[in-house]
Amino acid sequence: MREENELYVIIINFIKCFLILIIIGMLLPELVDKIIVFFILNHNEGSGSDFVYNMVNSRQFVLRFMYYFEMLLR
């Protein structure tokens, strides 16, 4: 009786782990992608907010970052 009960618990735990992997590995990334695409497509230019990539595209910002990083390594 005990071996059957342990086997039942193992099977239930395996199914739970499999469902968690499916949710975290397949459904959650799709949901996050849909949310990000929704916010990017509905972004108003006049809202007063800027995306982070506008700051990163600046060549001067990248050069300054490289300069400070090189100074840190010395």
Side-chain angles (χ1 to χ4, degrees), residues 2-15:
R2 183 175 177 165
E3 292 177 5
E4 291 175 3
N5 200 12
E6 289 178 2
L7 182 62
Y8 176 73
V9 170
I10 290 172
I11 291 173
I12 294 297
N13 284 336
F14 179 75
I15 292 171

Side-chain angles (χ1 to χ4, degrees), residues 16-65:
K16 285 180 185 178
C17 291
F18 188 71
L19 290 174
I20 289 172
L21 285 174
I22 288 176
I23 290 171
I24 291 176
M26 293 173 62
L27 300 179
L28 187 64
E30 288 291 325
L31 181 66
V32 170
D33 183 48
K34 300 263 188 229
I35 291 171
I36 290 173
V37 167
F38 174 76
F39 282 120
I40 289 175
L41 292 179
N42 291 334
H43 176 70
N44 291 331
E45 294 294 329
S47 67
S49 63
D50 293 323
F51 282 112
V52 175
Y53 72 87
N54 288 336
M55 182 180 72
V56 175
N57 284 338
S58 171
R59 179 179 167 91
Q60 183 180 9
F61 175 79
V62 173
L63 291 175
R64 190 178 306 140
F65 176 77

